[in-house]
Amino acid sequence: MQRALPGARQHLGAILSSASVVVKALCAAVLFLYLLSFAVDTGCLAVTPGYLFPPNFWIWTLATHGLMEQHVWDVAISLATVVVAGRLLEPLWGALELLIFFSVVNVSVGLLGAFAYLLTYMASFNLVYLFTVRIHGTLGFLGGVLVALKQTMGDCVVLRVPQVRVSVVPMLLLGLLLLLRLATLLQSPALASYGFGLISSWVYLRFYQRHSRGRGDMADHFAFATFFPEILQPVVGLLANLVHGLLVKVKICQKTVKRYDVGAPSSITISLPGTDPQDAERRRQLALKALNERLKRVEDQSVWPSMDDDEEEAGAKMDSPMPSDKAPTLPGKGAVPESSLITFEAAPPTL
C-alpha cells in the first residue's frame, strides 16, 4: 500500500497538471472543505431542508453542498468524478460549459432534494426530515456526468464480459445504490442526490444546453425511455411524451424542432438541434474503426486455403497424364532406352 500511494499521487499530479483551471479549482475546493471539516463544523455548508426555506434562507448551501465531503473515500470519488468530467466532457464542451453544467446539476439537486424532504415532512410530520437530513457530496454530479457520457459516448463498452455499455451505467449504478439503501448501508440523502442528479442533468442536456446548432439534444438515442430496459421503453416513452406535451403547453419546454437543408449539394439533410459536430465526428470514427476490424478479419481468413481450392487442385492432378516409366518403342520393334547422349538404332538384317 505504501508503495502504491506515491505512484497514485504522481499519476494524479500528472493529470491535474494538464487539467483546466475549472477542474483544478473544483478539486482544490473539495480538498479544502474536507480539511476544514477537521477544524470547524461544516454542517452549515450542506443543504438542510428546514434551513433552506424561509425564514432562514441558507441559499449559499446550494453552491457549497456539492463540494462538501466527510469521508476520505467520498473525497476520492469526488476527485475522480471531476477529473473524468474534465478529461472526457471538457474537450467537447469547454471549461465554461463544464462549470455551468456543474452548477446547474448541484443547484437542482439541492432544490429538488429539499422539496422532496419537505413533502416527506408534510406527510409524516417528522422533524428529522427538516433539520437532521443533510444533502451534500458529488453523487448528484456523478449522476450528471454519467448521463452526459451516455449522450456523447453511449456506444463505448465499459466491460466486455459481461458486455456493459456506457449507456446502461447510469441505471445500473442507481439500482446498486438502491440495493445498498435497502440493506441500510447507504443513507437516503445520497440516493436522493444521485437520482435527482440523473433527472436534472438529463433535462438540462435534453432541452436547455446551448450548442452550435441550437439548444438541447432531441436525438432518439437520448430519449428518456432509453434509460430503461427495452421491455419497459414503450410504457415509459408514452408517459414521457405525455409529460413533455404538458410542459410544452405551459411553455416550460419547447417542441421538437427539425431543420431541413433543401439547398444541400448532395441531397436533403435533416439536422436536429443539439447535434454537435464533435459528436458526429465521434460516431464516424467508431464506424470507421468497426469497418477496419471487419476488413482485417476478412484478410486473416483469406490467408488459409479453403476446401474448394484443395478439391480443384486434386482434380487437376487427376486429369493430367501420368509420366510413363517404360522406355519409348519403335514401330514393330522392342523397347529402346532413351538417353540424351546415346541413341540406339536397330541393326540391319544379315544376309
Side-chain angles (χ1 to χ4, degrees):
M1 186 67 179
Q2 295 179 354
R3 295 179 180 179
L5 287 177
R9 286 196 297 265
Q10 184 178 2
H11 187 62
L12 180 61
I15 294 176
L16 292 178
S17 63
S18 61
S20 65
V21 177
V22 173
V23 175
K24 292 178 180 178
L26 293 178
C27 292
V30 171
L31 292 174
F32 174 75
L33 293 181
Y34 174 69
L35 296 176
L36 185 64
S37 64
F38 291 99
V40 297
D41 184 14
T42 56
C44 60
L45 302 179
V47 171
T48 306
Y51 295 132
L52 180 63
F53 300 113
N56 297 288
F57 283 114
W58 286 11
I59 303 297
W60 67 86
T61 58
L62 295 176
T64 58
H65 77 93
L67 301 171
M68 196 194 87
E69 299 290 1
Q70 293 182 339
H71 304 94
V72 63
W73 52 85
D74 294 330
V75 174
I77 294 175
S78 300
L79 296 178
T81 302
V82 174
V83 170
V84 169
R87 294 290 296 270
L88 300 180
L89 298 179
E90 189 177 12
L92 300 176
W93 295 350
L96 179 60
E97 178 58 32
L98 180 62
L99 181 61
I100 293 174
F101 180 72
F102 177 84
S103 303
V104 168
V105 171
N106 281 284
V107 171
S108 301
V109 168
L111 287 175
L112 293 175
F115 274 113
Y117 281 107
L118 178 62
L119 294 176
T120 306
Y121 163 75
M122 295 174 63
S124 62
F125 295 101
N126 189 351
L127 291 177
V128 172
Y129 296 110
L130 286 183
F131 300 104
T132 305
V133 170
R134 292 181 177 181
I135 302 173
H136 63 88
T138 58
L139 270 180
F141 183 60
L142 173 61
V145 170
L146 293 178
V147 171
L149 293 179
K150 169 183 169 59
Q151 178 195 26
T152 55
M153 52 184 64
D155 297 332
C156 295
V157 178
V158 179
L159 295 177
R160 296 191 178 276
V161 180
Q163 190 177 52
V164 178
R165 298 184 182 274
V166 176
S167 57
V168 301
V169 172
M171 297 306 292
L172 286 180
L173 185 55
L174 179 62
L176 177 61
L177 294 178
L178 183 59
L179 292 178
L180 293 177
R181 175 56 189 162
L182 293 176
T184 66
L185 298 176
L186 185 71
Q187 297 181 353
S188 61
L191 179 61
S193 298
Y194 181 79
F196 289 130
L198 292 179
I199 296 175
S200 60
S201 60
W202 178 81
V203 171
Y204 173 73
L205 296 175
R206 182 73 168 176
F207 301 105
Y208 298 106
Q209 187 185 38
R210 292 186 177 275
H211 293 271
S212 58
R213 296 188 178 183
R215 175 181 292 183
D217 184 1
M218 304 304 295
D220 293 337
H221 73 274
F222 194 54
F224 185 73
T226 59
F227 286 84
F228 296 85
E230 293 184 0
I231 192 174
L232 299 176
Q233 288 184 8
V235 178
V236 176
L238 179 61
L239 296 176
N241 291 333
L242 292 176
V243 174
H244 179 254
L246 180 61
L247 295 178
V248 169
K249 288 183 179 180
V250 298
K251 297 183 179 180
I252 296 180
C253 296
Q254 298 179 353
K255 291 183 178 180
T256 302
V257 180
K258 295 183 179 181
R259 298 200 301 266
Y260 299 87
D261 188 7
V262 183
S266 58
S267 59
I268 298 177
T269 58
I270 302 173
S271 60
L272 298 175
T275 305
D276 200 12
Q278 288 111 354
D279 191 20
E281 179 64 23
R282 179 187 63 83
R283 289 187 173 87
R284 285 194 292 268
Q285 292 296 334
L286 290 176
L288 182 60
K289 181 180 179 182
L291 179 60
N292 290 332
E293 290 178 354
R294 288 186 178 182
L295 292 176
K296 185 177 180 180
R297 287 197 297 267
V298 171
E299 291 178 355
D300 293 340
Q301 292 176 358
S302 63
V303 174
W304 297 94
S306 61
M307 295 298 297
D308 296 338
D309 296 339
D310 294 341
E311 292 178 356
E312 292 178 0
E313 184 178 355
K317 291 182 178 180
M318 293 295 295
D319 295 337
S320 61
M322 298 296 293
S324 178
D325 295 336
K326 296 182 180 180
T329 59
L330 292 176
K333 305 294 180 180
V336 178
E338 180 180 359
S339 175
S340 60
L341 299 177
I342 303 174
T343 59
F344 294 89
E345 296 181 359
T350 56
L351 296 176

